[in-house]
Amino acid sequence: MYGPLILLAALLPFTSAQLDAYAKKAGLKYFGAATDSPGQRERAGLEASYEQYDAILRDGNEFGSTTPTNGQKWLFTEPEQGVFNFTEGDIVTSIAQEQGLIQRCHALVWHSQLAPWVEAASADWTPETLSAVIVAHVTNVMEHYRGRCYAWDVVNEALDEDGGYCDSIFYRVLGADFIKLAFRTAAVVEPGVKLYYNYYNIEKPSPKSDGVLRIVRMLQEDGIKIDGVGFQGHFVASRPPTLDEQIAAIDAYGALGVEVAYTELDVRQTTPVNETSLEWQANAYADAVGACVQAKACIGVTIWDFYDPFSWVPYTFPGEDAALLWFEDFAKHPAYDAIIDALKNGTASPCKRKKRRRAQMAARRAKLQ
Ligand SMILES: *[C@@H]1O[C@H](CO)[C@@H](O)[C@H](O)[C@H]1NC(C)=O
Ligand SMILES: *[C@@H]1O[C@H](CO)[C@@H](O)[C@H](O)[C@H]1NC(C)=O
Ligand SMILES: *[C@@H]1O[C@H](CO)[C@@H](O)[C@H](O)[C@H]1NC(C)=O
């Protein structure tokens, strides 16, 4: 009597499209979403939508992984030298633990969102003193989160668009050795965690992408552990990298023996959005996810939050918005179904898929009106 009911209950999660469930079927480790702590949202005056938001975040078939958008950054974790504060980062970590989500941890050494004391004019660092600062930071933060991270973004954004090192307090004092020091330290603190270098605009072959390949080789030649490269994937709907460009970029890292993950994927569009820009966005998401499914080295995709009002985009790029998968009223973007399609892809011909995507978008538009 209960048998069929239990069977039905077991099947129910798959009755509506679910990103992580399909990602796993497509051979990926996870489809994840970054999130901020509720505390930060309250301060931003966005707490009203939180319950509905939280239900999606905790839907195990939707997201199999999460990342604290901000809470583990240096600004929050070591606001004063030697004073560590894990309050913000712990909120997201405890959601990950309660829900059994994989956690990508982010980010240990980065010149932005850095605590002001590191860059203060009075801080007269020598290579020795700044090295000690990096070692203490990496060690304390990683020890606090030991056993709870699948991966750490050890170094974030160290290059310019032309592939040369960008100006930062770390590079000025230590040169490229700061990267070696950060990875070497991380490998000692937690040997089992995946260590990533994370960046944007490296999702297609370019001088900057070559620069990241150079960093990977530099570490490998010195016998320093690096396991992965994070493609942030902050794309613009009107000019994203193509599917083939992304596959070529992933393969280039794969050839060096490291894995790749999309770590901060979002696709922003000019406001007000229209059918065309939503279709561009859907295609851009499908190509990124499709590249990850097709290229052997790519293991998973994380989007940079999932709900438009919580996105960083409108604060950073005035006039652009709607970069994620849920609109303000919690209706899904057409890109949601396009991603599911890219995850299911492999059997239907490209032409059939395009037709199907068009039909789904038309249905969704009809529903929205
Ligand atoms: C730690 O951070 C939290 C959240 O940002 C803040 O509310 C709290 O006051 C901080 N604790 C200390 C001791 O500074
Ligand atoms: C839709 O938006 C894009 C910019 O995002 C613009 O180039 C295009 O002209 C718009 N199309 C219509 C029909 O308004
Ligand atoms: C879908 O699969 C086909 C056949 O394997 C492939 O050529 C195409 O690039 C894939 N599309 C996406 C978006 O992954």
Side-chain angles (χ1 to χ4, degrees):
M1 168 88 205
Y2 290 111
L5 276 181
I6 289 165
L7 186 65
L8 185 66
L11 290 173
L12 271 177
F14 293 95
T15 52
S16 68
Q18 314 263 356
L19 297 165
D20 186 61
Y22 281 107
K24 289 199 166 84
K25 283 187 194 173
L28 302 183
K29 271 196 168 62
Y30 58 81
F31 193 103
T35 188
D36 249 335
S37 74
Q40 289 182 13
R41 291 201 197 92
E42 275 160 30
R43 284 194 291 285
L46 294 168
E47 74 272 36
S49 310
Y50 194 67
E51 250 175 62
Q52 220 171 335
Y53 176 92
D54 201 45
I56 299 171
L57 179 65
R58 289 172 189 264
D59 177 340
N61 287 314
E62 206 71 272
F63 301 117
S65 165
T66 192
T67 301
T69 319
N70 286 299
Q72 291 177 327
K73 289 172 181 170
W74 197 313
L75 180 64
F76 292 99
T77 51
E78 194 183 359
E80 289 169 59
Q81 185 167 12
V83 177
F84 291 88
N85 185 336
F86 299 109
T87 305
E88 294 288 347
D90 283 358
I91 295 172
V92 175
T93 301
S94 59
I95 294 173
Q97 283 191 299
E98 284 159 30
Q99 302 304 122
L101 303 177
I102 286 173
Q103 187 177 201
R104 290 199 82 265
C105 291
H106 171 84
L108 293 168
V109 178
W110 184 29
H111 63 273
S112 187
Q113 291 186 281
L114 182 59
W117 63 267
V118 184
E119 286 186 295
S122 58
D124 211 357
W125 303 119
T126 63
E128 289 69 31
T129 56
L130 189 60
S131 293
V133 162
I134 291 173
V135 169
H137 183 76
V138 170
T139 304
N140 277 281
V141 177
M142 284 186 75
E143 269 176 0
H144 180 80
Y145 290 106
R146 186 196 296 281
R148 291 185 283 179
C149 307
Y150 162 75
W152 262 109
D153 291 329
V154 178
V155 173
N156 200 35
E157 306 182 2
L159 299 173
D160 282 326
E161 290 307 309
D162 67 5
Y165 288 102
C166 69
D167 184 46
S168 73
I169 183 70
F170 302 117
Y171 186 72
R172 278 199 300 280
V173 177
L174 289 163
D177 281 354
F178 88 86
I179 300 175
K180 296 183 187 179
L181 178 65
F183 275 89
R184 210 183 262 128
T185 307
V188 171
V189 180
E190 193 173 3
V193 75
K194 301 274 186 196
L195 305 181
Y196 270 63
Y197 176 84
N198 192 49
Y199 217 168
Y200 60 87
N201 282 354
I202 57 166
E203 303 85 358
K204 64 179 182 185
S206 71
K208 194 177 182 184
S209 170
D210 287 346
V212 176
L213 290 166
R214 220 175 49 233
I215 288 177
V216 173
R217 280 194 298 263
M218 171 184 83
L219 294 172
Q220 291 176 334
E221 279 161 15
D222 276 21
I224 300 169
K225 175 175 139 87
I226 175 168
D227 301 289
V229 171
F231 282 17
Q232 292 183 4
H234 293 298
F235 294 153
V236 180
S238 58
R239 46 188 161 85
T242 67
L243 176 72
D244 290 342
E245 285 171 336
Q246 293 177 76
I247 291 173
I250 297 168
D251 286 348
Y253 294 103
L256 294 182
V258 293
E259 64 183 41
V260 171
Y262 285 79
T263 56
E264 308 184 14
L265 182 62
D266 56 17
V267 183
R268 56 188 191 265
Q269 39 191 327
T270 305
T271 50
V273 306
N274 61 40
E275 282 184 19
T276 310
S277 65
L278 283 169
E279 182 163 0
W280 290 341
Q281 182 189 50
N283 289 331
Y285 267 111
D287 284 347
V289 172
C292 190
V293 170
Q294 288 185 53
K296 209 165 134 240
C298 192
I299 59 110
V301 176
T302 300
I303 53 177
W304 208 232
D305 217 301
F306 57 89
Y307 180 51
D308 287 338
F310 294 165
S311 170
W312 70 305
V313 164
Y315 303 98
T316 313
F317 305 98
E320 293 176 277
D321 204 348
L324 297 169
L325 300 182
W326 274 260
F327 289 109
E328 186 165 7
D329 64 357
F330 287 100
K332 289 175 189 164
H333 287 219
Y336 182 97
D337 287 334
I339 292 173
I340 296 285
D341 259 12
L343 292 170
K344 284 184 187 167
N345 182 33
T347 45
S349 76
C351 169
K352 269 193 203 146
R353 268 193 322 278
K354 208 166 177 187
K355 259 193 209 152
R356 191 168 64 209
R357 197 186 298 160
R358 284 235 176 82
Q360 282 168 343
M361 287 186 43
R364 175 132 340 249
R365 278 195 300 271
K367 223 195 255 171
L368 286 178
Q369 274 155 15

